[in-house]
């Protein structure tokens, strides 16, 4: 009917939008190799160093997996950054150096994530508040409550829990394997479960999904819960990495906007209904490769920020430019 | 809805329901402020209030253009920072430089808006990402330009717009120059939005871009104009803020979200098609009044954040509830 809704080419074969994230990743990787060779710093090309690069973006990766779920249902979550701070502080305060409290702390953090996600979902579905506003408001509320109680590093993470961030299984850091497992799990949910296909349906066309008998509200709320739980896992990871929680670690990492940028660079469209986990993982790799390139090339940190903004836009433009839809 | 009243009372009810709730909110807040601080009714009280609200109100008026056209402009906050930092670098303590720096800054605002618009229209990057990239880039540029440590002075000629008062005005004793700027800018923006073809075109592309294009609206040109107006409002707000506050690299931080909040409080519909410049002005005043009130109550910053979050969600939820009831 609508002439402007993206007219997909009917022929099978090479589908650009499916391969764009991989092309971008290949591009980023070859730039990385080229810069390392050009500056004569071939020590950066070892396997260990590549693992180290990945290790730096694990929290972003975990958050972005959750963000993928909400963006797929045409929602968005800006509250992840303050939720990360809140769960990191909560976990480290509950543990307070005692290994016996690890399990309660983890459960409390995940429960907090679940509650925040449920609240986000209910406000969006029940009160029909635009997700951007709802989660932005939620972010202000969480950050406000958090800074009312804590103003510095609080609590202490016992060394047994630091295994989450610093432990190694063979050549791989434990956290990296955890991220990979989480990605496989998320991919499985999206690919093989009814919930996954319902999510694509709701994101693609909510009204059609409702007429098809899908309980669209439930799907959106569930995606928000998944997103917030992922963010609280990222908070746990950061608490373990920093050995304590502080109320600014989420906003310092700009995890809200960066996780959205990662998801979008990975080819999941903000309008919902198209994309997937592997794109998000590619987006995360692209981000960390770009950072490493800047480090190797010794780019000034302010210039780095400028280039980063340009790269985010350019990367999204790379595959959006061919779409026929009118964006706003 | 059961209609038991006489025709006149239902007409009255219809008239009442057409009043934008933001004005009711504003009146209540002002009444509360006067109750807390009776000196607010004196010119010093309310003129200082208006002066403080001016940058946000101008930003909100510009933001409405982008929101009604269906997009977001997250770049205005860092544009303010760049304007303030750039002006202090360019004027270099030379009062005579103001006369070319201010037009240059206004042009820069228009230019940044034009680039945002071009990216959205021709690279087909969603405005959330495009202006987010612009936000990161401009922040980096402000740091790069000032070397991270901006010089702390703007000449008095530059600070004229933000700081000076016009004395000996009948009735009100004095008017801050920034309030005059506010009245002129909001007046022109309101006229262009609600009395010209440009405004109708902006509403049309926000409501239904496909229909607008079929009806002959030059969608891209209108969208770029909307972003340019928002950029211009950012530059004006930056010039005013440069007058109030010192030069730093975080003067504009957070303003983009406050501007969106103000526009939404004024009933602007995210994703386009509905919104009003005077109501966004009311929203900005209401938001400033809330901050003033919380200040009077002596509440710490974290509580202000929580209240801002709750009000944001409540305002949108209420607007959606009314929309459902009135069936529009």
């Amino acid at each position: 009917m609508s002439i402007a809704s993206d007219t997909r080419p009917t022929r099978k074969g090479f589908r650009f939008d499916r391969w764009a994230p991989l092309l971008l990743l290949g591009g980023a990787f070859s730039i990385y190799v080229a810069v390392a060779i050009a500056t004569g710093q071939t020590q950066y090309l070892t396997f260990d160093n590549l693992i180290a690069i990945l290790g730096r973006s694990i929290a972003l990766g975990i958050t972005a997996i959750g963000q993928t779920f909400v963006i797929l249902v045409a929602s968005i979550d800006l509250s992840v950054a303050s939720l990360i701070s809140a769960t990191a502080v909560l976990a480290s305060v509950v543990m307070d150096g005692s290994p016996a409290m690890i399990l309660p702390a983890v459960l409390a953090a995940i429960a907090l994530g679940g509650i925040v996600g449920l609240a986000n979902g209910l406000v969006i579905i029940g009160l029909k508040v635009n997700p951007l506003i709802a989660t932005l408001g939620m972010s202000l509320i969480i950050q406000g409550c958090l800074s009312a109680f804590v103003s510095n590093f609080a609590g202490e993470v016992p060394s047994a829990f630091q295994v989450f961030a610093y432990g190694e299984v063979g050549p791989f850091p434990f956290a990296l394997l955890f991220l990979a497992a989480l990605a496989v799990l998320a991919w499985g949910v999206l690919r093989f479960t009814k919930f996954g296909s319902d999510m694509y349906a709701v994101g693609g066309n909510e009204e059609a999904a409702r007429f098809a008998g899908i309980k669209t509200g439930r799907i959106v709320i569930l995606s928000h819960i998944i997103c917030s739980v992922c963010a609280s896992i990222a908070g746990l990871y950061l608490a373990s990495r920093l050995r304590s929680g502080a109320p600014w670690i989420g906003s310092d990492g700009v995890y809200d906007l960066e996780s959205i940028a990662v998801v979008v660079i990975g080819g999941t469209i903000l309008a919902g209904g198209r994309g997937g986990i592997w794109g998000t993982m590619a987006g995360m790799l692209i981000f960390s490769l770009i950072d490493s390139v800047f480090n190797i090339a010794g780019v000034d940190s302010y210039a780095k920020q400028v280039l980063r903004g340009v790269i985010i836009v350019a990367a999204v433009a790379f595959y959006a430019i061919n779409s026929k839809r009118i964006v706003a | 809805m059961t209609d038991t009243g006489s025709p006149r009372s239902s007409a009255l009810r219809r008239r009442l329901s057409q009043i934008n709730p933001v004005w009711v909110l504003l009146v209540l807040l002002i009444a509360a402020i006067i109750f807390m601080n009776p000196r607010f009714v004196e010119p010093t009280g309310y003129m200082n209030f208006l002066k403080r609200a001016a940058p946000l109100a101008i930003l909100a008026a510009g933001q409405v253009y982008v929101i009604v056209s269906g997009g977001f402009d997250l770049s205005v906050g860092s544009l303010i920072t760049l304007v303030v930092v750039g002006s202090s670098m360019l004027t270099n303590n030379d009062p005579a430089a103001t006369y070319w720096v201010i037009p240059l800054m206004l042009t820069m605002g228009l230019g940044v808006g034009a680039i945002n618009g071009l990216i959205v229209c021709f690279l087909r990057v969603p405005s959330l990402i495009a202006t987010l990239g612009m936000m990161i880039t401009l922040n980096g540029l402000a740091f790069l330009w000032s070397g991270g440590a901006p010089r702390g002075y703007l000449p008095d000629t530059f600070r004229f717009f933000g700081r000076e008062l016009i004395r000996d005005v009948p009735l009100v004793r004095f008017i801050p120059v920034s309030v005059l700027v506010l009245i002129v800018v909001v007046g022109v923006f309101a006229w262009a939005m609600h009395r010209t073809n440009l405004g109708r075109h902006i509403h049309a592309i926000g409501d239904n871009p496909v229909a607008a294009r079929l009806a002959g609206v030059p969608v891209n040109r209108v969208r770029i104009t909307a972003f340019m107006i928002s950029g211009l409002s950012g530059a004006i707000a930056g010039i005013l803020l440069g007058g109030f506050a010192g030069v730093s690299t975080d003067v504009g931080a957070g303003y983009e979200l406050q501007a969106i909040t103000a526009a939404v409080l004024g009933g602007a519909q995210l994703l386009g098609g509905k919104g009003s410049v005077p109501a966004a002005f009311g929203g900005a005043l209401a938001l400033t009044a809330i901050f003033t009130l919380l200040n009077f109550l002596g509440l710490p910053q974290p509580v202000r954040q929580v209240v801002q979050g709750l009000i944001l969600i409540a305002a949108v939820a209420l607007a959606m509830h009314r929309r459902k009831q009135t069936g529009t």
Side-chain angles (χ1 to χ4, degrees), chain A residues 31-32 35 41 287-301 303-309 311:
Chain A
I31 291 172
Y32 174 75
V35 168
Q41 305 179 76
F287 253 55
S288 36
L289 279 172
I290 291 170
D291 267 353
S292 313
V293 168
F294 288 154
N295 285 342
I296 297 179
V299 179
D300 167 87
S301 70
K304 194 153 89 179
Q305 208 185 350
V306 173
L307 288 173
R308 210 156 186 213
I311 288 170

Side-chain angles (χ1 to χ4, degrees), chain A residues 7 17 30-31 36 52 61 68 84 90 101 134 143 158 165 187 210 234 239 251 256 260 264 294 300 302 317 327:
Chain A
T7 43
D17 56 343
S30 23
I31 291 172
T68 310
I84 286 175
L90 177 71
M101 292 304 283
Q143 193 69 50
W187 171 74
R210 190 165 46 239
S251 46
D256 40 6
I260 294 170
V264 172
F294 288 154
D300 167 87
Y302 304 137
V327 298

Side-chain angles (χ1 to χ4, degrees), chain B residues 123-256:
Chain B
L123 300 184
R124 305 207 170 268
V125 176
S127 63
L128 198 69
I129 298 292
T131 58
L132 167 68
M134 184 58 90
M135 168 174 118
I136 297 173
T137 307
L138 293 182
N139 245 333
L141 278 178
F143 275 112
L144 205 57
W145 198 347
S146 62
R151 267 168 270 167
Y153 295 107
L154 279 166
D156 282 343
T157 45
F158 187 91
R159 303 184 67 175
F160 171 79
F161 292 98
R163 204 164 58 160
E164 278 311 309
L165 312 172
I166 297 173
R167 293 176 199 285
D168 300 325
V169 181
L171 286 174
V172 289
R173 291 219 304 268
F174 70 91
I175 298 183
V177 177
S178 55
V179 174
L180 288 182
V181 175
L182 168 68
I183 293 168
V184 170
V185 170
V186 171
V188 170
F189 280 15
W191 170 78
M193 184 64 138
H194 301 293
R195 292 287 180 273
T196 66
N197 264 339
L198 172 69
R200 282 183 270 276
H201 284 166
I202 288 174
H203 277 86
I205 66 170
D207 199 36
N208 187 338
V210 180
R213 191 172 65 186
L214 292 176
V217 176
V219 176
N220 287 346
R221 209 190 321 153
V222 172
R223 201 185 293 291
I224 292 170
T225 313
F227 277 103
M228 286 174 73
I229 290 174
S230 175
L232 180 67
S233 76
I236 298 174
I239 291 168
L240 293 186
L241 272 174
F244 302 163
V247 181
S248 75
T249 42
D250 59 357
V251 269
Y255 263 100
E256 62 282 343

